[in-house]
Amino acid sequence: MKRVRIAVFIGPKGRGSNMRAIVDACRHGRLHADVAAVYCSNPDSPAIQNLEIPVRDPLNPNLLEDLRNLQVDLICLAGYLRLLPSEVVHSFSGAILNIHPALLPKFGGKGMYGVRVHEAVLAAGEKESGCTVHLVTENYDEGQIVLQKKCPVLTGDTPESLAERILPLEHEAYVEAIQNWIGAHQSARNASL
Ligand code: GRF
């Protein structure tokens, strides 16, 4: 069975914890996959130091060609705050995932990232929050939801305490969603052989 080749996209100031969770899951055999490249526009980002994985520029005008040259099967956005070029979205349709730190379809969309998401959840008086892994389209946070994990919102929560409760769920959810994607992808391949 072929190992799936993943490209992970992170933001220039990203912490990279979801990217690390994916890299670790590949290295420890939880995913039948390898991270072929990490895309980050900031070469000085602490998240990509000592990674031993090629780092590429996500703003490369020939991004689609770059992904093809690397034989990427699956793109994982992890704190990447931009939209991907539409030619990439179309060419990788069904093969781009994103993680969002709330229960979509609520609390998503343009500008809803980082602490703002948790502030909005608290302001709305929600009793639970969590994270969502979804397929990526040309719009922010709109594609099909593939996996969610939930946790309670507690009295006295701050945006920071809520974010801290959700982050480990994100790491689990992302790896599980990729496992599911690989399973579905391989069944489809076998069916077509
Ligand atoms: C996460 O909260 C993720 O849900 C959101 O951006 C954050 C990235 O965190 N899309 P990290 O860089 O993976 O630690």
Side-chain angles (χ1 to χ4, degrees), residues 14-19 78-80 98-101 118 167 170-171:
R15 181 179 43 189
S17 73
N18 280 285
M19 177 268 287
Y80 188 66
N98 180 44
I99 183 131
H100 185 77
H118 307 294
L167 192 62
E170 293 190 35
H171 301 159

Side-chain angles (χ1 to χ4, degrees), residues 24-46:
D24 287 350
C26 291
R27 288 184 175 158
H28 298 147
R30 285 181 64 209
L31 290 175
H32 191 65
D34 296 296
V35 176
V38 172
Y39 284 80
C40 177
S41 62
N42 173 11
D44 297 325
S45 163

